[in-house]
Amino acid sequence: EIVPVETPTSALDAVLLKSVEMPSGTRTVCGYDFEGAFDFQQMLDAMLTSGFQATEFGRAVDEVNKMLKWRLSDEPCGPDDCD
């Protein structure tokens, strides 16, 4: 016979957190729509709205893209810095 076990309150409190109002401008989690033709760039862009780990990956992709796009010529320089 299976005896029901009561879940400890501390476990419930740690897992079942109360919802809170999200800050203004927070992106909605929606992920990539796999219907139709696959678009790799759109899939990478969708990482920003696919949940916590995917969002962090998406932010990393954005940062790498910034690094790839950056050029020293984009930086301002003073009269003694530029030759």
Side-chain angles (χ1 to χ4, degrees), residues 9-32:
T9 305
S10 59
L12 292 173
D13 291 343
V15 177
L16 304 175
L17 302 176
K18 295 197 184 306
S19 295
V20 296
E21 190 70 30
M22 296 301 293
S24 176
T26 301
R27 293 181 180 182
T28 302
V29 174
C30 59
Y32 180 72

Side-chain angles (χ1 to χ4, degrees), residues 2-77:
I2 298 176
V3 178
V5 176
E6 194 166 318
T7 305
T9 305
S10 59
L12 292 173
D13 291 343
V15 177
L16 304 175
L17 302 176
K18 295 197 184 306
S19 295
V20 296
E21 190 70 30
M22 296 301 293
S24 176
T26 301
R27 293 181 180 182
T28 302
V29 174
C30 59
Y32 180 72
D33 181 4
F34 286 95
E35 295 295 323
F38 180 76
D39 184 311
F40 187 73
Q41 185 59 50
Q42 284 182 358
M43 194 222 31
L44 287 177
D45 293 343
M47 290 291 181
L48 287 170
T49 58
S50 295
F52 179 74
Q53 289 179 330
T55 298
E56 294 307 308
F57 176 76
R59 291 178 63 202
V61 168
D62 281 351
E63 207 54 43
V64 169
N65 285 333
K66 286 179 194 174
M67 290 188 281
L68 292 171
K69 186 178 170 185
W70 178 86
R71 297 291 176 258
L72 181 59
S73 60
D74 295 338
E75 296 295 318
C77 61

